[in-house]
Amino acid sequence: MLYLLHGGADDYTSWTRMTDVSAHTADLDAIVVMPEAGRAGNYTDWYNGGRGGPPAWATFHTYEVRRLLEVGYRAGGRRAIAGLSMGAYGAVKYAARNPGMFRFAGAYSGILATRLPGIPAIIMNAQASEKQDPLALWGDPKRNKRVWAANDPLALAANLRGVALYLSSGTNSFNGPLDPPGSPWHPAHLGEPISAYTGKALSKRLKQLRIPHTLHLYGNGTHTWPYWIREFKSSYPMIRKALGA
């Protein structure tokens, strides 16, 4: 199985709507799974003040969808996962929270360390922008440190041993080679330096743990599909190798 996770403020149709993934994976001997995850679901079973879900996106994806495909569609035990933006976070978090479940995790322009200075405020502001209670996801960053840590890829980095990892991001919010000339700047492009900031932190921790990984920081480039498509295709040989397909 190859899971492809969508970004925030979007839905499960984004990969087929915005890319040629159907044609690109046509000869891949695997089921390509593109599950719904909510506009601000953050690939998490929400804390909700300690009450738990709904929503329970993590359980839905790693247990319900997985079992549905294994029982009903003969899916095998070789799994890879990749995503963009919010989905990039989800891909690495799921691999780290479920050791042995995924052989590959690809993250294109996502937050990969949730508790670095400034990052909790960014995450909670993003939740509020989607008209969600910012505290419902993981609670308060200070009072509920354990909940935040349990959903932090940086804190869970040791669990990524044995997973082929591809982490990528632009390093600033400037237009790059894949942006049409004169493209207007958008605040969403700030996702790139934020992603690079967290990706560098995760990479540093992985190096300390002697866990091999690829970190591709490509400088100029916006928080847009042309770069995510390029990075997915760059990591695709790693996906095929991990799946043995």
Side-chain angles (χ1 to χ4, degrees):
M1 283 188 283
L2 168 60
Y3 282 74
L4 295 178
L5 307 183
H6 69 77
D10 211 331
D11 63 27
Y12 72 97
T13 67
S14 65
W15 277 91
T16 49
R17 189 176 73 245
M18 301 299 296
T19 81
D20 64 346
V21 66
S22 295
H24 198 73
T25 61
D27 67 341
L28 184 68
D29 187 19
I31 297 173
V32 181
V33 189
M34 291 168 276
E36 177 58 42
R39 288 176 59 89
N42 272 289
Y43 298 92
T44 294
D45 290 356
W46 285 27
Y47 181 64
N48 288 325
R51 299 184 305 276
W57 291 112
T59 297
F60 173 57
H61 295 141
T62 61
Y63 180 74
E64 295 178 15
V65 171
R66 176 177 62 83
R67 290 295 295 147
L68 174 67
L69 293 169
E70 289 172 349
V71 173
Y73 295 86
R74 297 181 297 158
R78 294 182 178 181
R79 306 179 196 93
I81 188 166
L84 60 103
S85 196
M86 183 179 77
Y89 160 76
V92 177
K93 198 272 283 284
Y94 281 175
R97 283 279 297 236
N98 301 277
M101 185 175 289
F102 298 100
R103 296 185 176 199
F104 168 89
Y108 321 121
S109 303
I111 290 177
L112 304 181
T114 59
R115 297 180 300 155
L116 294 178
I119 298 300
I122 290 171
I123 292 171
M124 290 192 292
N125 285 339
Q127 294 300 100
S129 72
E130 286 295 321
K131 297 180 172 55
Q132 300 295 330
D133 176 0
L135 298 179
L137 183 63
W138 300 320
D140 182 87
K142 294 182 178 179
R143 290 196 301 270
N144 305 110
K145 290 181 179 180
R146 290 185 180 180
V147 180
W148 279 75
N151 289 281
D152 185 356
L154 183 61
L156 303 170
N159 292 343
L160 293 169
R161 193 175 307 279
V163 180
L165 296 166
Y166 185 94
L167 318 174
S168 70
S169 174
T171 57
N172 57 61
S173 62
F174 303 144
N175 285 1
L178 303 183
D179 294 288
S183 297
W185 187 85
H186 191 280
H189 299 337
L190 290 172
E192 295 306 300
I194 293 168
S195 173
Y197 167 47
T198 63
K200 289 176 183 177
L202 180 59
S203 177
K204 180 179 178 180
R205 180 60 180 148
L206 292 171
K207 288 177 181 177
Q208 292 172 343
L209 295 167
R210 297 184 180 180
I211 295 177
H213 62 285
T214 297
L215 176 65
H216 183 213
L217 300 178
Y218 46 84
N220 291 0
T222 55
H223 201 66
T224 55
W225 275 100
Y227 297 94
W228 303 328
I229 294 168
R230 183 189 68 186
E231 295 305 302
F232 168 69
K233 291 183 177 180
S234 293
S235 65
Y236 192 60
M238 294 176 65
I239 293 172
R240 294 188 70 105
K241 182 178 179 180
L243 292 176

